[in-house]
Amino acid sequence: GQNIDQPTEMTATEGAIVQINCTYQTSGFNGLFWYQQHAGEAPTFLSYNVLDGLEEKGRFSSFLSRSKGYSYLLLKELQMKDSASYLCAVSNDYKLSFGAGTTVTVRA
Amino acid sequence: TAGITQAPTSQILAAGRSMTLRCTQDMRHNAMYWYRQDLGLGLRLIHYSNTAGTTGKGEVPDGYSVSRANTDDFPLTLASAVPSQTSVYFCASSDGGELFFGEGSRLTVL
């Protein structure tokens, strides 16, 4: 099975940087995904890591260390619209298991 | 662009009644999934299908059944609903990469 842990809540100021950590224990691993979910909406794909290292996509970056069972999502130049839940998900046998999500609140 | 369509958007159901949540995708993805999302627990996999004609159990399959008669449709049935099945249900599809989610179906069982 999977055990995926991420913080429940984080608060940051507009224009700042926030790092959301995710640790996981899994019996198999095909990759790690990050999703964004605004309240009342469906999750939308942000990033995918299958090899160790940093993947950068605009203001969002994601890092993976497979040996440590660790990933983080870095959000730079925070905007009010970034207030949302961020879901860490591990792929095992091409089925995704999700963490409970981290609610990020961006304050002006 | 339709992507994944779920119906109904919202439903209130009496305990003991049956209900089918519909899911249709137009992306010709082989794999489809049903998740439920509950506060504090995140998304949990109910059932999945890797390709038309096959289905499998996820983390929380009890009380639910699915079928996959063709590539596009993946309905989820609750044979006899119970209050603990009150949740938001998301259907998703994949071509082997990221999941694409429908807008969700909010089900309340009283």
Side-chain angles (χ1 to χ4, degrees):
Chain A
Q2 332 298 331
N3 186 20
I4 302 168
D5 291 313
Q6 51 182 127
T8 303
E9 295 181 332
M10 300 183 75
T11 301
T13 304
E14 194 174 16
I17 298 173
V18 69
Q19 177 175 316
I20 306 169
N21 296 324
C22 173
T23 58
Y24 64 88
Q25 295 173 308
T26 177
S27 55
F29 184 83
N30 300 127
L32 189 140
F33 294 79
W34 284 95
Y35 281 79
Q36 181 189 60
Q37 186 177 24
H38 286 100
E41 298 182 6
T44 56
F45 170 75
L46 284 180
S47 69
Y48 171 63
N49 295 70
V50 64
L51 299 176
D52 290 354
L54 188 68
E55 293 284 340
E56 297 187 85
K57 189 185 295 185
R59 294 189 297 113
F60 294 174
S61 303
S62 58
F63 172 83
L64 175 67
S65 169
R66 288 171 297 171
S67 63
K68 295 182 179 178
Y70 169 69
S71 173
Y72 67 73
L73 179 70
L74 195 69
L75 288 63
K76 294 177 280 189
E77 302 170 17
L78 279 172
Q79 302 175 9
M80 299 301 289
K81 67 179 181 179
D82 296 330
S83 291
S85 285
Y86 292 85
L87 315 178
C88 174
V90 173
S91 178
N92 179 10
D93 194 22
Y94 301 101
K95 296 185 289 291
L96 292 198
S97 295
F98 286 82
T102 299
T103 300
V104 172
T105 302
V106 181
R107 299 194 188 282
Chain B
T1 57
I4 296 185
T5 303
Q6 291 185 232
T9 302
S10 180
Q11 182 76 44
I12 299 174
L13 187 67
R17 299 297 294 269
S18 66
M19 176 76 194
T20 295
L21 303 180
R22 300 184 297 279
C23 176
T24 299
Q25 55 116 349
D26 64 2
M27 296 175 284
R28 307 301 292 172
H29 288 168
N30 279 324
M32 295 188 75
Y33 310 84
W34 274 106
Y35 286 86
R36 59 177 290 173
Q37 188 172 37
D38 303 288
L39 196 63
L41 296 177
L43 288 157
R44 293 180 292 167
L45 183 64
I46 305 170
H47 285 287
Y48 66 93
S49 170
N50 288 331
T51 189
T54 70
T55 62
K57 294 182 179 180
E59 181 185 356
V60 288
D62 294 344
Y64 305 95
S65 64
V66 292
S67 62
R68 187 87 184 278
N70 56 62
T71 297
D72 298 342
D73 301 300
F74 190 44
L76 176 74
T77 297
L78 291 67
S80 179
V82 295
S84 62
Q85 291 177 310
T86 294
S87 187
V88 179
Y89 292 86
F90 286 100
C91 179
S93 72
S94 171
D95 62 356
E98 76 264 29
L99 299 188
F100 294 83
F101 285 88
E103 291 302 310
S105 296
R106 180 175 297 274
L107 181 65
T108 302
V109 183
L110 301 176

